[in-house]
Amino acid sequence: MGKYVVVSISEMQLSDNRQDTIITYSLGSCIALVIYDPVKKQGGMIHLMLPDSSIEKDKSKIVPCKFVDTGVPLLFRTLFKMGSHRNNIVVKVAGGSSVMDSTKYFNIGERNYAAIRKMLWRNNIMISSEDVGGSKSRTVKLFLESGKVVISNSQEEYEI
Amino acid sequence: MIKMSDIIADIEFLPPFSKVAQKALEIIRQPDFTMKELSELIIYDPALTANILKVANSALYARTQVVSDLQTAISFLGAKEMSSIILLSAANKYFEQHLEGYEVYHGEIWEHSLSVAVNSQELKYLEPEIDDSTLFTAALLHDVGKLILSKYVLEKLDEINELIRTEGVNFITAERKIVGFSHTVVGAAVLKKWNFSKTICEVAKYYKNPERVNNPYVNIVAMADFVSIMIGKSSQKDGLAYSGCAPLFTRYKISSRQLDVIITRCADRTKELIENLNL
């Protein structure tokens, strides 16, 4: 039986049950990274809050999925452990909004997106599609059967 | 556009804010109050009594023994914690309805309100002189106007979104232009009707425009609201369609890095509260 697998803030979820749908609700400036292996029909999603774990002084308290620098490698490693090969993985990114007319200085959404791009670029991983920025809230779904990633909010719903 | 008389009628229709809760908060504010006088008052509100016991026995306080009587629970929790629980318990019932004008999922505004209350406590150090309990109350009830305005906003949501899209105005301006009132002004009217202090009413009225008043409570709640939106704890329909309050962060000399620290702490505390309180 398929189910909704919910990803809370600062968490990741993976599944190899092709009937599952992985979902995260209401991304603001947070960013969701979705990775999917169409060969094995398995994948995962992480709901990241901030770019850099170095702000956490007590290293033992670091929640890895909260930060781009610690969360992204963990998500990939977990999918590798489930048997996926890096060449097969499709990567999509969504979120990273900003409050209207907020200054660059506080633009956490943009910083999150920049951190993800930099990390993927360094590791020669391409983003196949994305829906980032703006001032909207996003709910993101990954359908394991098809690999489709669907974004929705109160006004619209579309695939990326 | 709706008329002022419609809004007033709707406010009249809201159940009054718990008198027991308000009296209890007053008692706690007295420096020489006794646990006995507080428990003698609270005992008349069975829902509140149950909630206090539930919190005292929750995972937030890893106690080995079950607390089963009110007075023990009160003395164990202490005054500050008590005023938060009393307020949370009394406010909770107003947010039980699905506020479709603002929420995609039921409960978004209640979680946002809890988050702003938690965040305001985290930011309180910026204004050490202000009163904890007043700040908590103001933060928790800052969006109370949405209770009234939700149905009107729902009717006009397409027009509101269109105005935001075409003219780049924020949600409050769009509410005012299309519906006739903003949830901030209506919120202040509700709180005034419930006899909350001028400071608390002012927070509801100005938290989206803190530059219009010189009120430290407004400033803290404005920043707490901003942090809550950043961590995705806002109602989704109006969500991020607001102007930032960057000048305040500059004024309080909060660097971008400090803001990251504040955000991560606030997100952790909010999660903890929502998981544990579940009132």
Side-chain angles (χ1 to χ4, degrees), chain A residues 29 66 99-100 106 108 111, chain B residues 169 230 242 260 263-264 268:
Chain A
S29 62
K66 190 187 277 180
V99 170
M100 248 181 195
F106 292 117
I108 296 159
R111 282 166 46 219
Chain B
V169 297
M230 285 288 102
Y242 291 105
D260 283 3
I263 283 178
T264 169
D268 291 347

Side-chain angles (χ1 to χ4, degrees), chain A residues 3-18:
Chain A
K3 57 185 180 301
Y4 268 121
V5 181
V6 179
V7 188
S8 300
I9 191 165
S10 308
E11 274 182 18
M12 68 173 187
Q13 294 286 351
L14 295 98
S15 173
D16 58 1
N17 180 346
R18 57 185 64 181

Side-chain angles (χ1 to χ4, degrees), chain A residues 9 11 25-26 29 49-50 54-55 66 97-101 105-106 108 111 135-137 139 154-155, chain B residues 104-105 161 164 169 230-232 236-237 240 242-244 249 255-257 259-260 263-264 267-268 271:
Chain A
I9 191 165
E11 274 182 18
Y25 295 108
S26 55
S29 62
M49 197 161 77
L50 288 167
S54 69
I55 60 155
K66 190 187 277 180
S97 285
S98 310
V99 170
M100 248 181 195
D101 77 24
Y105 190 46
F106 292 117
I108 296 159
R111 282 166 46 219
S135 310
K136 59 183 175 187
S137 171
T139 287
S154 60
Q155 296 165 55
Chain B
V104 172
Y105 302 102
N161 284 324
I164 293 171
V169 297
M230 285 288 102
I231 60 176
Q236 286 189 60
K237 291 186 183 172
L240 294 95
Y242 291 105
S243 313
F249 287 93
S255 68
S256 172
R257 194 177 167 81
L259 182 63
D260 283 3
I263 283 178
T264 169
D268 291 347
K271 197 173 173 188

Side-chain angles (χ1 to χ4, degrees), chain A residues 2-152:
Chain A
K3 57 185 180 301
Y4 268 121
V5 181
V6 179
V7 188
S8 300
I9 191 165
S10 308
E11 274 182 18
M12 68 173 187
Q13 294 286 351
L14 295 98
S15 173
D16 58 1
N17 180 346
R18 57 185 64 181
Q19 275 152 14
D20 281 355
T21 302
I22 303 181
I23 181 166
T24 199
Y25 295 108
S26 55
L27 290 164
S29 62
C30 292
I31 204 154
L33 177 69
V34 182
I35 61 176
Y36 180 72
D37 174 355
V39 179
K40 290 190 174 284
K41 290 191 185 290
Q42 59 186 16
M45 189 191 298
I46 186 164
H47 184 142
L48 300 151
M49 197 161 77
L50 288 167
D52 186 3
S53 65
S54 69
I55 60 155
E56 201 86 82
K57 287 199 181 74
D58 184 349
K59 298 297 165 207
S60 68
K61 282 197 181 144
I62 290 179
V63 176
C65 296
K66 190 187 277 180
F67 303 102
V68 172
D69 64 335
T70 46
V72 173
L74 184 63
L75 181 70
F76 275 93
R77 274 203 306 273
T78 313
L79 195 65
F80 295 155
K81 272 187 201 152
M82 287 163 67
S84 286
H85 191 274
R86 64 176 284 152
N87 294 343
N88 294 334
I89 295 175
V90 178
V91 178
K92 298 185 180 183
V93 179
S97 285
S98 310
V99 170
M100 248 181 195
D101 77 24
S102 62
T103 60
K104 289 253 181 266
Y105 190 46
F106 292 117
N107 214 336
I108 296 159
E110 256 176 44
R111 282 166 46 219
N112 277 332
Y113 176 59
I116 284 199
R117 280 194 66 116
K118 196 167 154 190
M119 172 155 278
L120 295 176
W121 182 77
R122 266 197 207 142
N123 289 282
N124 286 322
I125 295 166
M126 298 286 289
I127 297 174
S128 76
S129 66
E130 61 186 26
D131 180 43
V132 293
S135 310
K136 59 183 175 187
S137 171
R138 293 174 176 89
T139 287
V140 185
K141 291 190 199 100
L142 164 66
F143 296 90
L144 269 300
E145 173 67 53
S146 58
K148 271 188 190 171
V149 174
V150 174
I151 311 289
S152 59

Side-chain angles (χ1 to χ4, degrees), chain B residues 140-276:
Chain B
L140 190 71
L141 299 176
H142 76 285
D143 258 350
V144 84
K146 290 183 176 177
L147 298 176
I148 302 286
L149 226 49
S150 176
K151 62 179 178 189
Y152 302 109
V153 166
L154 183 64
E155 279 172 23
K156 304 276 185 186
L157 200 57
D158 290 342
E159 284 177 59
I160 290 174
N161 284 324
E162 182 63 18
L163 191 69
I164 293 171
R165 206 176 53 77
T166 53
E167 293 188 19
V169 297
N170 66 25
F171 202 91
I172 291 211
T173 308
E175 272 179 337
R176 209 171 43 235
K177 284 193 172 173
I178 307 277
V179 181
F181 297 92
S182 66
H183 73 269
T184 49
V185 167
V186 174
V190 172
L191 294 169
K192 190 169 176 220
K193 165 83 184 148
W194 284 347
N195 290 322
F196 280 102
S197 70
K198 188 169 166 263
T199 302
I200 291 172
C201 297
E202 220 168 73
V203 168
K205 194 167 176 182
Y206 295 110
Y207 78 96
K208 289 289 190 192
N209 303 95
E211 72 288 351
R212 291 203 193 155
V213 279
N214 182 18
N215 179 335
Y217 292 87
V218 173
N219 293 346
I220 299 296
V221 174
M223 289 190 283
D225 178 67
F226 173 84
V227 170
S228 176
I229 293 171
M230 285 288 102
I231 60 176
K233 283 279 170 238
S234 57
S235 45
Q236 286 189 60
K237 291 186 183 172
D238 55 336
L240 294 95
Y242 291 105
S243 313
C245 56
L248 277 181
F249 287 93
T250 315
R251 183 172 146 191
Y252 286 103
K253 300 189 172 64
I254 298 174
S255 68
S256 172
R257 194 177 167 81
Q258 277 171 314
L259 182 63
D260 283 3
V261 176
I262 290 169
I263 283 178
T264 169
R265 225 169 35 215
C266 288
D268 291 347
R269 292 272 292 118
T270 299
K271 197 173 173 188
E272 202 178 272
L273 182 77
I274 290 170
E275 279 172 4
N276 280 300

